[in-house]
Structure formats: structure tokens, C-alpha cells
Amino acid sequence: MNTNVGLLEALAPQAPDALLALIGMYAADFRPGKIDVGVGVYKTATGTTPVFGAVKAAERLLLDEQSTKAYLGPEGNIGFFTSLTNLVFGVRDFQSRLTGLQTPGGTGALRLAAELIALAKPGARILVGTPTWPNHMSILTTTGLEIVNYRYFDAATQTLCFDKLMSALDEAEHGDVVLLQGSCHNPVGIDLSEAQWLLVAKRMAERGLLPLLDLAYQGLGSGLDADALGTRIVFDYVGEALLAYSCDKNFGLYRERTGALFALSRNAAAASITQSNLLMLARANWSMPPDHGAAAVRLILESDALTLQWRTELEMMQQRIVEVRNCLADLDPWFEPFRNQQGMFSMLPLNPDQVRVLREQHAVYMAGSGRVNLAGLTRQSAALFATAIAAVR
Ligand code: LMR
């Protein structure tokens, strides 16, 4: 017998990530007409996820012009971060208080944000509306933060529980953190209105709460500026805020892991201390983020022609999602609420058993929560999808 320590045997087994497991299950299904509305990946009307033309063009430039692969610093690609800052915030007057860095995807940004919070206030409480992206919970709990849940959405009535959000803010303690999604809520597709963002921002400022925003779908809801509106309102109102940003969907860079974390501090001196902590944490986690996706985004955002091409492609995606939403609502009034929701996701009031029957008997793959990735549907598959849903509900 090997008498070595056996330390790792103290570990409890972990279930594989249920959402990502759908990728393998779908691939292993050979039934014709199978439908993938599971993992949040955009698909065209022909069911593919091609590389953006603008990204391909930027990659060609990179291949020709990139002269070195030598290290960048823990802040990553500075040109990328600067261009992205303009895209997210436009021109604001808090520029001297805003710092941040490139991260490996939005997940890396969320992880860094959670670690920064834990460093500033170990065991800090964070308000999280349910349902939310399941990985939010894993990221936050493994960083030692205490999660305080409140109900954000009611699936049966397909409505936002705004009063519950406001009560949660009222009951929060000074120094608590509030996780909010900037737009295209994952998994429910319902966002705050401009008036609601103003109320929330004001309340967070009054009560001394730190907003942690997650913006992973800018441009896929109502447009680039409209989708950043809530973020801009919050950053205009509060003294301190964090924003985790992902380029996975709006630049189609999924596996390139391209994102950023923005931090707003109360003054320029505090901003420089915040930044030094972010750089230290980044160095301890991944030393520096992968460059390729960020370098491509930088080339796109620094070129008027490539920016135009990218925006045009993004608008086509956004319009296609709206078409799918309208198509489902036209097919069956049960989907009527989908019309006014936005982004790739909506959530149906289905239980895990109904979701399993959909998968086993109808070859429809969706998250166990009843979340549907509408960008996985086409005009043809929408009809099949509506029929399958009618059969199980
Ligand atoms: C999703 O929610 O489906 C995507 O954000 C993919 C992921 O990493 O979970």
C-alpha cells in the first residue's frame, strides 16, 4: 500500500457543472432535429456560431503585424482596456476615479472582484437576486463571501420583483455588496427600467452599499448604449463600484476568455490603492491574462472601419434574437412575455422533470432551471420547440 499522505482523499467529490454538461449531452445525441437552447452561445439562423468577420479581419492584422509574444503586465492589454472603457462608459466625469484591468473573461473579472471585496472586508455580505447565473454563487461562496438572497423574478407571472429588490436594499447594512446584472439578465431576460436603475442607484448611495455589476451582453439587448445605461447611472451616482465585463458574447470570443474588471473609487488617491490591489490579485491568480482576444478587440475598437463592421454584425445578432422572441410569441400566446424581455435568455416555469422529458423525449436541451437560450432557435426549430413545450407543460 502507498503510505503517502492521502491529503487529497479528504476532498468530497463534486458534481460536474450542470450547464456545461449539456454541451457533451447534446453532442452525443444523434437524433435529427435536436434543439440546443442550453449553454449561452449565440447561433445564426443556420445554427452555427461563426467567428465575427470583424474579429477575423483583426486576427489577420495581428498575424501580420504582431512582432512579439513577450509578456504584458498583470493589467493585460492597456489599449484594449482604454477602448473598452469608452465603449462601456462613454465620456464621464469620474475618469480619474476609474481604474481596472483586463481579465480572463467575465468570470475572471467576477473572481477578482470577489477577492478584492474579501480582501477589503473578509466575509462581506453580498445581496444576490434569485435566480441568477449559477456560477455567480460558486464564485462568491468560494471566495468566502456571505450570500444574502432575495427574489428577483417570478417565473409564473414572468415579472421582476422590484419591491423585493428595494426591500433587500433597505434591509442591507452599510458596507454590504449588491450584485446586479447590467442588462440582458441571465437567466431571466428582464432588466431594470431607467427609472428603476435611478431608484436603485440612489438607494445604494444613500445606504452605503457597494454595487458589483455584471455586464456580459452589451449590445445584445437594445443596443450598445442602451444596454450600458444602468451601469452608467450607477457609476454616476455612487462613490465606489465594481463592474465585471465580458466580451465573450458581443465579440463572439468565448474560448479566448476576454473580459475586464472596472473599479470606481472615491478619489484618485484611493483609486491608485484599489488598482495596486487588483494588480496584486491578478498576479497571484493568473499573473497576466491571455492576450489574443483582447488584442483583436483592441484592433477593432481602434479602427473606425472595423468598429462599423463589428457593430453591424452585432446589430444583426440582436435583431435575430428579437425575431426569435416575436416568432415564439406569435406561435403560442404562452410565450407572449418573451416579446418584451431582452437578450439571449428567458426562463420558463418548468420543473427539472419537465426539462428532463423535453431532453429525453423531444431532444430539446435546456438548463434544468427552465432557462432557454433563444439564440439557439431558428424559425423552423422555434415551431418544433413550441410544440414540445406545449406537450410537457
Ligand atoms: C451561460 O450562462 O450559458 C454562459 O454564460 C456560459 C457559462 O459559462 O455558463
Side-chain angles (χ1 to χ4, degrees):
M1 177 177 135
N2 186 341
T3 54
N4 206 332
V5 187
L7 185 81
L8 301 181
E9 285 160 29
L11 294 170
Q14 303 289 334
D17 184 276
L19 191 59
L20 297 183
L22 282 174
I23 300 174
M25 287 161 82
Y26 179 77
D29 185 339
F30 291 102
R31 285 174 287 181
K34 61 182 178 174
I35 293 173
D36 178 13
V37 285
V39 178
V41 171
Y42 176 84
K43 293 191 184 168
T44 64
T46 53
T48 58
T49 308
V51 180
F52 276 56
V55 169
K56 276 275 183 211
E59 288 181 315
R60 273 191 291 273
L61 281 175
L62 266 183
L63 198 62
D64 287 347
E65 292 175 4
Q66 194 172 50
S67 56
T68 180
K69 297 278 187 194
Y71 289 133
L72 294 171
E75 65 276 13
N77 193 316
I78 291 172
F80 158 81
F81 185 78
T82 306
S83 307
L84 200 64
T85 306
N86 295 334
L87 184 73
V88 177
F89 295 103
V91 180
R92 319 303 292 177
D93 56 16
F94 50 69
Q95 236 76 316
S96 65
R97 297 160 47 216
L98 187 68
T99 57
L101 70 183
Q102 185 203 329
T103 56
T107 301
L110 285 162
R111 180 83 209 172
L112 217 57
E115 289 192 7
L116 186 76
I117 293 162
L119 200 60
K121 187 179 178 189
R125 302 190 337 148
I126 179 160
L127 275 57
V128 180
T130 58
T132 193
W133 183 48
N135 208 23
H136 278 150
M137 299 296 194
S138 312
I139 294 167
L140 299 172
T141 48
T142 54
T143 330
L145 302 186
E146 183 192 334
I147 296 184
V148 180
N149 282 137
Y150 65 91
R151 183 138 286 279
Y152 178 84
F153 168 77
D154 180 61
T157 55
Q158 293 283 307
T159 50
L160 167 66
C161 307
F162 187 65
D163 53 332
K164 297 254 184 339
L165 164 57
M166 291 309 279
S167 318
L169 298 181
D170 284 339
E171 284 156 23
E173 290 159 18
H174 184 95
D176 282 354
V177 184
V178 184
L179 175 69
L180 290 169
Q181 297 192 31
S183 54
C184 306
H185 189 281
N186 178 5
V188 309
I190 302 185
D191 300 316
L192 304 184
S193 66
E194 183 175 353
Q196 289 171 328
W197 273 117
L198 280 163
L199 287 172
V200 166
K202 199 161 167 264
R203 195 64 56 90
M204 289 192 295
E206 284 162 4
R207 297 196 53 79
L209 309 177
L210 174 79
L212 165 55
L213 302 185
D214 183 359
L215 186 58
Y217 303 91
Q218 189 188 5
L220 285 163
S222 305
L224 284 165
D225 285 326
D227 292 347
L229 186 66
T231 301
R232 292 175 186 174
I233 289 173
V234 170
F235 272 63
D236 276 341
Y237 247 93
V238 299
E240 292 182 329
L242 297 167
L243 170 69
Y245 189 94
S246 170
C247 297
D248 288 5
K249 277 77 177 186
N250 60 358
F251 285 87
L253 282 164
Y254 310 94
R255 67 176 70 164
E256 300 295 354
R257 313 309 302 137
T258 309
L261 178 64
F262 296 90
L264 186 71
S265 303
R266 289 209 286 188
N267 54 51
S272 124
I273 295 174
T274 303
Q275 183 70 359
S276 69
N277 279 274
L278 287 176
L279 294 175
M280 179 276 289
L281 289 172
R283 174 72 167 144
N285 274 286
W286 45 74
S287 189
M288 54 204 75
D291 181 60
H292 183 80
V297 170
R298 174 187 186 159
L299 285 175
I300 292 170
L301 295 179
E302 286 181 351
S303 148
D304 289 345
L306 287 180
T307 296
L308 181 64
Q309 186 181 356
W310 166 67
R311 279 180 176 251
T312 308
E313 291 177 87
L314 184 61
E315 271 163 32
M316 281 169 54
M317 289 164 62
Q318 183 250 338
Q319 280 159 21
R320 203 186 91 68
I321 294 169
V322 172
E323 274 164 30
V324 172
R325 288 185 172 282
N326 288 333
C327 174
L328 277 176
D330 291 344
L331 280 165
D332 185 337
W334 200 66
F335 294 109
E336 194 54 40
F338 282 22
R339 231 191 262 282
N340 299 319
Q341 297 170 3
Q342 62 170 4
M344 287 164 65
F345 306 115
S346 282
M347 184 176 243
L348 292 171
L350 298 176
N351 62 40
D353 233 29
Q354 290 168 307
V355 171
R356 182 185 49 76
V357 172
L358 278 166
R359 192 171 60 242
E360 290 174 3
Q361 295 179 16
H362 301 273
V364 172
Y365 287 76
M366 68 163 73
S369 60
R371 187 193 78 171
V372 180
N373 170 20
L374 294 145
L377 292 173
T378 63
R379 226 162 229 298
Q380 294 74 34
S381 65
L384 293 172
F385 175 78
T387 309
I389 297 290
V392 301
R393 71 173 194 250

